[in-house]
Amino acid sequence: MTELSRDFYNYSYDELVETLQKDFGLTKFRATQLFEWVYRKGVTDFDLMTNLGRELREQLAASFVFPKARMHDRQVSVDGTRKYLFEVDGGDLVEAVMIKQVSRMTLCVSSQVGCAMACAFCRTGTMGLKRSLSTSEILRQVNGVIEDAKNFGDSFSNIVFMGMGEPLHNFDGVTRAVRNLTNPIGYALSPRKVTVSTSGLVPQIRKLAESKVPVSLAVSLNATTDEVRTQVMPVNKRWPIKELLEAVRQFPDGPRKKVTMEYVMLGGLNDTQDDMKRLVSLMRGLPVKVNLIPYNDNAGLGFKTPAREWVFTWQKHLNDHGIQAFIRWSKGADIAAACGQLATESRQKRAAAPSRLPVLGNEPQAAV
Ligand code: SAH
Ligand code: SF4
């Protein structure tokens, strides 16, 4: 990165403090002012940062850039869910989804272009991994959605790293983004409202716990036996269920809430009566709640969606045995916006399609 092109969104607060001290001889107070302008007030034009002297403003303007979100496409579902396609550096595309729920909206962002984990039921997994996103590329998805949400008069209250990619396989890029999202002078979201979801990278779960990054954790369990889990999630060969649940048991709660265990129900494969009972024994005594996710068949990967009634039977069984369970019915079915459906076409195909939407302004206003 040259002196002229430092991407502001790639800095955590602590890193900005350090760089301002080292390269500009500035105090910590200046980093605080900059964070407040950019993330709290949504101002990225140094000329408007009136509490900084003119000379300093010019110096900073010559050093920092604020790349805008590049929205390539946006689709709106009949249920109010919106799917965004953002272009990241180098022309790759990633998806973000605004999921409409009863009384809130949740923003689901991508952490990588594609994914290396190759889960059999997930479309992103069929792409393989192209690369991890930078912190700026992650935050630009947030900025782009905040900007566009003005057209709908809404905003999001929660952010989940459940789009394309395995967030803990992009540990630094993701945790730095989380720090800015939860920093009171950043996006100021409660750590309870920012969730990182992992397919079960045990060492990274432990590292996340040790790093004390303020974030909530979700783990995709998706099976109750190693045999079935390995069949659908190759990561299980490396870190089987027992080791994974041990890392979950040790994940500190403190200010963080319970760990969410995600369970994609694949009809006839991992949703038998025996699985239901085994799940209860596996979850017993763990600081968790369970999200049941009926398989989204739109992924077109040959699995079956369980019957609605059967999903309710599972929820009731878990609840009756003292395990909090919720059902995540898919949203945005008409625009293929749900879990596991996110994937982008090849660059060649895409090159033929003109960009339908303009580049957005770069005012990352404080998220609610
Ligand atoms: N890589 C992370 C986060 C992104 S996937 C992870 O795997 O946890 C987010 C969630 O979508 C995961 O719980 C995953 O199991 C689920 N998922 C993937 N494909 C799905 C599909 N076709 N139907 C329903 N859920 C799916
Ligand atoms: Fe990657 Fe998650 Fe999809 Fe598995 S489910 S392939 S970890 S995005």
Side-chain angles (χ1 to χ4, degrees):
M1 208 181 282
T2 69
E3 276 294 284
L4 286 174
S5 65
R6 295 169 194 248
D7 181 338
F8 189 90
Y9 302 123
N10 271 331
Y11 288 82
S12 68
Y13 175 74
D14 287 347
E15 288 164 344
L16 188 66
V17 168
E18 200 190 309
T19 228
L20 291 185
Q21 261 165 7
K22 199 159 67 70
D23 300 342
F24 300 84
L26 297 173
T27 62
K28 192 174 175 171
F29 175 61
R30 296 300 187 191
T32 304
Q33 285 180 314
L34 277 180
F35 249 58
E36 281 172 348
W37 278 116
V38 174
Y39 291 117
R40 302 304 308 150
K41 298 180 192 143
V43 171
T44 55
D45 179 350
F46 284 102
D47 284 342
L48 301 176
M49 301 187 187
T50 44
N51 54 4
L52 307 176
R54 200 170 59 88
E55 211 175 303
L56 176 58
R57 293 204 303 252
E58 281 169 10
Q59 196 186 2
L60 293 172
S63 307
F64 286 98
V65 291
F66 300 89
K68 293 168 198 270
R70 298 183 68 86
M71 193 201 291
H72 191 82
D73 194 11
R74 179 194 62 210
Q75 288 172 273
V76 184
S77 161
V78 288
D79 69 20
T81 292
R82 307 195 288 270
K83 183 166 84 168
Y84 296 89
L85 199 53
F86 287 109
E87 188 176 324
V88 292
D89 300 340
D92 289 314
L93 298 173
V94 295
E95 295 188 343
V97 185
M98 273 284 258
I99 307 161
K100 180 97 176 168
Q101 283 154 317
V102 181
S103 57
R104 61 172 193 206
M105 290 198 95
T106 294
L107 171 58
C108 173
V109 293
S110 292
S111 56
Q112 298 183 310
V113 183
C115 182
M117 310 314 293
C119 301
F121 47 81
C122 171
R123 273 198 68 205
T124 310
T126 63
M127 294 173 66
L129 175 66
K130 178 124 192 241
R131 67 175 177 88
S132 283
L133 297 180
S134 67
T135 298
S136 173
E137 288 169 323
I138 294 168
L139 294 180
R140 274 181 255 158
Q141 296 171 58
V142 179
N143 296 346
V145 170
I146 290 173
E147 177 76 10
D148 185 58
K150 290 178 195 160
N151 298 319
F152 295 85
D154 58 24
S155 60
F156 57 83
S157 51
N158 298 56
I159 294 192
V160 293
F161 284 79
M162 290 189 193
M164 297 163 70
E166 164 53 55
L168 296 188
H169 193 203
N170 177 13
F171 194 89
D172 292 344
V174 166
T175 51
R176 192 186 292 107
V178 167
R179 286 189 196 280
N180 287 355
L181 290 169
T182 55
N183 191 327
I185 56 165
Y187 293 76
L189 287 161
S190 155
R192 288 170 163 271
K193 301 197 162 182
V194 182
T195 302
V196 161
S197 173
T198 180
S199 57
L201 305 185
V202 168
Q204 278 79 357
I205 293 175
R206 295 192 189 283
K207 189 172 163 191
L208 186 67
E210 282 157 21
S211 69
K212 303 211 164 37
V213 175
V215 72
S216 304
L217 180 69
V219 172
S220 300
L221 181 63
N222 299 350
T224 63
T225 64
D226 281 325
E227 195 193 345
V228 173
R229 194 163 191 271
T230 299
Q231 193 183 324
V232 292
M233 299 183 76
V235 67
N236 194 67
K237 270 182 257 168
R238 188 77 178 79
W239 294 291
I241 293 176
K242 194 159 174 272
E243 282 182 45
L244 176 58
L245 295 185
E246 186 51 27
V248 167
R249 199 180 61 75
Q250 289 173 6
F251 197 77
D253 41 12
R256 314 181 205 206
K257 58 185 179 187
K258 288 178 177 172
V259 174
T260 303
M261 301 303 291
E262 291 156 283
Y263 200 95
V264 178
M265 294 177 71
L266 306 165
L269 181 62
N270 68 358
D271 73 340
T272 64
Q273 189 132 13
D274 285 346
D275 284 308
M276 187 169 79
K277 292 182 185 154
R278 266 196 301 268
L279 187 58
V280 168
S281 14
L282 287 175
M283 297 298 100
R284 194 162 278 139
L286 288 177
V288 296
K289 62 185 174 116
V290 174
N291 274 355
L292 298 170
I293 314 174
Y295 171 64
N296 294 312
D297 199 18
N298 285 11
L301 296 169
F303 296 92
K304 290 197 198 77
T305 307
R308 243 180 121 75
E309 278 314 306
W310 189 232
V311 181
F312 284 123
T313 304
W314 268 58
Q315 181 186 31
K316 184 168 182 314
H317 184 82
L318 290 165
N319 284 337
D320 287 351
H321 289 79
I323 293 151
Q324 234 186 336
F326 302 89
I327 304 174
R328 295 284 175 240
W329 300 110
S330 70
K331 302 283 179 189
D334 50 333
I335 56 168
C339 285
Q341 298 179 357
L342 308 185
T344 52
E345 59 206 278
S346 75
R347 286 184 70 185
Q348 285 90 330
K349 250 170 89 191
R350 185 173 51 74
S355 182
R356 278 195 242 161
L357 290 160
V359 170
L360 293 166
N362 60 346
E363 273 76 57
Q365 256 123 47
V368 189

